[in-house]
Amino acid sequence: MGALHRKRIADWLLTAPTNQDIEVSGWVRTKRGNKEIAFIALSDGSTINNLQIVAELAKFDEELMKKIQTGASIRATGKLVASQGVGQTVEMVAESIVLLGEADADTYPLQKKKHTLEFLREIAHLRPRTNTFGAILRIRHSLAFAIHKYFNDHHFYYIHAPIITGSDAEGAGEMFRVSTLDPANPPRNEDGSVDYTQDFFGKESNLTVSGQLEGELAAMALSRVYTFGPTFRAENSNTARHLAEFWMIEPEMAFFELDDNMDLAEDFLKYLIRYAMEHHADDLAFLEKRLLDEENLLPKENRNPLPLLEKLKFVTENPFERITYTEAISILEKSGKKFEFPVKWGIDLQSEHERYLVEKHFKKPVILTNYPKGIKAFYMKQDDDGQTVRAMDVLFPGIGEIIGGSQREENYEKLNTRIQEMGIHAESLWWYLETRKFGTVPHSGFGLGFERLVLFVTGMGNIRDVIPFPRTPKNLEF
RNA sequence: UCCUUGGUAGCUCAGCCGGUUAGAGCAUCUGACUGUUAAUCAGAGGGUCGUUGGUUCGAGCCCAACCCGAGGAGCCA
């Protein structure tokens, strides 16, 4: 049988042990035993669980068995039998073992013990081999797959927004410049500034900070679209919730108003969490136990009130709380709590305010809507009161803002006026404004930070641990 | 970027008021053990104390700058 259809360890662990001959390949997690017999725990990454390979030492070369240690790669053939031990139901009695690659125990950094996440970040090239990262990467994959499945099932079209953009007016954050000019000696204008007309694109270009504007263009033809791609922010953000390169999901829907947008956001998030729970019960159980072990070291008041799986279940089974910004301010003012940043209508809500609402007051996800226009982006639809816009932020416990979205301003005059008011360079957005000139319609959309979703589902504490190779300030080793 | 805090063996950490040869657990290696579950038991090896400079008779410990990590904040997804 070719490799494509070969069974994986995940498959064999679910197979009835009828002494059939099987072959498996993978990496050694641990080897235990005495001078008669060795027990090799083998992983091929297909599941959090290992296949136990039983090797009677008399049948194998002594030098070979010495080299089979943590991290080595092997191919083994033998019979799949019911296990005599208690830790597993099936195991393989090895008949032949081929050492594919050694892992010298003196220099192989991964030991058969717990490592800190900080240490594993320094060996990001090897950390996928740990149980924790295996679980995270499998869940991350399934969430990405579920995103496409959800949208496909709901008749959304996947749009590929460009990664290099000439638009600098989105205001979503600092951008990474893209240039082929010689940085040591760029062509210059008479006033000494760099002459970007001689650059590759003939103008300044950057990595995208959002696919939203392009998404809107597509939604003006296909009605329901989404983007799902990498996004870049050159902010010097050093937190457990920010990356310089992250993946963002941005649906954009014609004929959707703010309530429809909220309905979608809530249904979408619940679907994704449910999907992970259904397909990754054992990975999530492992992560939950890992989390509990870690939290037992913390003082009681800092511990999470709910174990991971209960927390996820709670989110899928309860409606999100929907309140306006104005109502939120009123709740905060009446809370009697002293905040570091005083609460007043018109301020942007700080982390402490959001945390109070989500974690103390409502104790569940909250959708905040109708923010003051002064603190939100130019493209959001203005409410009739002239004070607020139809924005919505979905706030999750422990994560903060997981989704930011809005109904878009579809009125050309209002949008143009707002652009002028905010001092944005309108000429560079001429193509965007034309959507409001030609066949404009009410429409809405939002952005979901993919890593923040993975962070929530896996229960991890640092966003650098839910992406294989994190890009953060001063960090580009791998 | 700001505040707080940390950097000592491969990993996780201890190291008293600045004073002789730098400590532990785990990992590694060697040995023991007839089915182990991060196996267990015994022994051994393993250190430029983040970097640079300074104070001092003497610095892991004090001072300065820088680098890197963590927690919090800002910015946001």
Side-chain angles (χ1 to χ4, degrees):
Chain A
M1 187 190 288
L4 182 58
H5 301 291
R6 191 179 291 148
K7 285 197 179 184
R8 310 157 307 149
I9 285 174
D11 305 314
W12 290 124
L13 289 174
L14 296 172
T15 304
T18 55
N19 293 2
Q20 64 268 52
D21 289 308
I22 69 167
E23 176 187 302
V24 292
S25 302
W27 294 267
V28 174
R29 281 291 162 75
T30 66
K31 186 180 70 174
R32 299 177 289 271
N34 51 47
K35 65 182 178 187
E36 304 282 326
I37 192 166
F39 301 93
I40 302 162
L42 195 71
S43 164
D44 66 1
S46 59
T47 160
I48 190 92
N49 300 306
N50 301 318
L51 178 65
Q52 173 156 288
I53 295 177
V54 185
E56 290 169 39
L57 295 185
K59 290 208 267 181
F60 295 94
D61 178 57
E62 197 183 331
E63 282 306 303
L64 170 75
M65 291 310 292
K66 262 191 180 171
K67 289 176 178 169
I68 294 178
Q69 49 198 165
T70 301
S73 49
I74 62 170
R75 174 157 57 235
T77 57
K79 292 198 183 305
L80 189 70
V81 302
S83 178
Q84 298 173 34
V86 293
Q88 56 281 318
T89 55
V90 301
E91 64 190 18
M92 176 206 265
V93 176
E95 276 151 24
S96 84
I97 298 177
V98 177
L99 180 69
L100 300 173
E102 295 180 50
D104 175 35
D106 272 341
T107 48
Y108 185 61
L110 287 172
Q111 302 167 359
K112 49 182 175 183
K113 57 171 261 188
K114 201 178 147 86
H115 292 290
T116 61
L117 296 168
E118 291 82 21
F119 173 67
L120 292 176
R121 263 172 236 152
E122 293 170 11
I123 51 166
H125 59 309
L126 296 172
R127 67 178 185 170
R129 300 186 187 195
T130 63
N131 287 330
T132 301
F133 281 87
I136 291 165
L137 292 176
R138 282 186 294 272
I139 291 169
R140 183 181 165 104
H141 157 79
S142 280
L143 286 170
F145 181 80
I147 284 162
H148 288 298
K149 179 166 168 49
Y150 179 91
F151 283 133
N152 187 63
D153 290 350
H154 289 81
H155 314 297
F156 283 66
Y157 296 105
Y158 180 27
I159 299 298
H160 296 96
I163 288 171
I164 300 174
T165 168
S167 137
D168 61 352
E170 294 162 45
E174 290 295 311
M175 304 179 97
F176 287 102
R177 182 184 304 287
V178 175
S179 176
T180 55
L181 296 177
D182 177 4
N185 187 26
R188 295 194 183 273
N189 297 309
E190 280 177 16
D191 63 2
S193 60
V194 175
D195 180 10
Y196 285 105
T197 64
Q198 294 188 47
D199 205 347
F200 187 89
F201 294 105
K203 62 186 286 196
E204 288 189 59
S205 49
N206 297 287
L207 294 180
T208 183
V209 293
S210 164
Q212 179 196 318
L213 302 189
E214 290 87 352
E216 285 187 55
L217 309 185
M220 294 301 104
L222 300 169
S223 292
R224 299 181 185 186
V225 303
Y226 69 105
T227 70
F228 183 7
T231 309
F232 308 87
R233 304 271 168 94
E235 303 282 356
N236 190 13
S237 293
N238 294 287
T239 79
R241 290 175 301 282
H242 291 86
L243 291 165
E245 176 182 298
F246 63 100
W247 287 67
M248 191 152 64
I249 300 107
E250 294 178 288
E252 197 67 40
M253 301 77 63
F255 320 113
F256 269 51
E257 304 208 5
L258 187 61
D259 283 337
D260 306 311
N261 204 16
M262 285 192 274
D263 290 345
L264 172 67
E266 182 169 347
D267 189 56
F268 180 52
L269 285 171
K270 285 178 171 174
Y271 173 87
L272 297 176
I273 294 166
R274 225 179 282 127
Y275 189 93
M277 292 173 78
E278 279 170 20
H279 291 82
H280 290 282
D282 50 2
D283 285 325
L284 286 169
F286 173 84
L287 291 171
E288 174 173 280
K289 183 175 180 307
R290 194 191 154 282
L291 210 57
L292 285 173
D293 290 346
E294 208 155 79
E295 293 203 335
N296 283 336
L297 304 171
L298 298 174
K300 272 219 169 67
E301 62 272 19
N302 293 352
R303 292 182 199 170
N304 223 310
L306 290 180
L308 178 59
L309 285 164
E310 279 181 49
K311 184 184 78 172
L312 297 179
K313 194 162 167 242
F314 182 83
V315 167
T316 61
E317 289 180 352
N318 289 284
F320 295 2
E321 195 70 35
R322 300 182 182 187
I323 59 166
T324 65
Y325 169 91
T326 304
E327 288 165 340
I329 290 291
S330 160
I331 289 168
L332 292 169
E333 282 174 342
K334 287 181 192 151
S335 71
K337 190 171 155 44
K338 268 242 187 282
F339 293 105
E340 192 186 334
F341 294 87
V343 177
K344 191 182 153 213
W345 199 96
I347 61 155
D348 207 352
L349 293 181
Q350 306 293 318
S351 284
E352 57 173 342
H353 305 138
E354 295 181 352
R355 293 185 79 109
Y356 178 84
L357 290 169
V358 173
E359 290 161 24
K360 294 278 187 303
H361 189 83
F362 289 114
K363 295 184 169 43
K364 58 162 129 169
V366 174
I367 309 183
L368 279 179
T369 63
N370 305 88
Y371 283 74
K373 67 177 181 183
I375 57 173
K376 286 293 179 184
F378 72 91
Y379 50 70
M380 296 190 179
K381 183 175 175 64
Q382 294 172 45
D383 284 310
D384 295 336
D385 63 7
Q387 300 298 308
T388 56
V389 291
R390 292 195 191 168
M392 59 165 217
D393 284 1
V394 181
L395 309 179
F396 262 34
I399 307 281
E401 185 181 344
I402 195 167
I403 277 180
S406 69
Q407 184 171 344
R408 318 306 190 189
E409 181 57 73
E410 81 268 22
N411 181 285
Y412 179 84
E413 296 303 331
K414 284 187 181 167
L415 183 60
N416 207 18
T417 304
R418 193 72 189 127
I419 285 175
Q420 305 299 335
E421 280 173 8
M422 294 178 80
I424 294 167
H425 194 238
E427 286 75 25
S428 63
L429 285 174
W430 65 273
W431 46 274
Y432 181 70
L433 283 162
E434 285 205 348
T435 56
R436 274 64 167 175
K437 261 193 209 165
F438 307 126
T440 192
V441 298
H443 64 289
S444 301
F446 60 79
L448 166 65
F450 184 52
E451 282 76 18
R452 290 195 178 169
L453 173 71
V454 182
L455 203 55
F456 182 76
V457 171
T458 58
M460 298 296 289
N462 193 312
I463 202 162
R464 296 163 195 218
D465 298 328
V466 298
I467 186 167
F469 303 103
R471 269 76 180 102
T472 53
K474 303 276 158 46
N475 183 358
L476 194 62
E477 182 67 22
F478 300 96

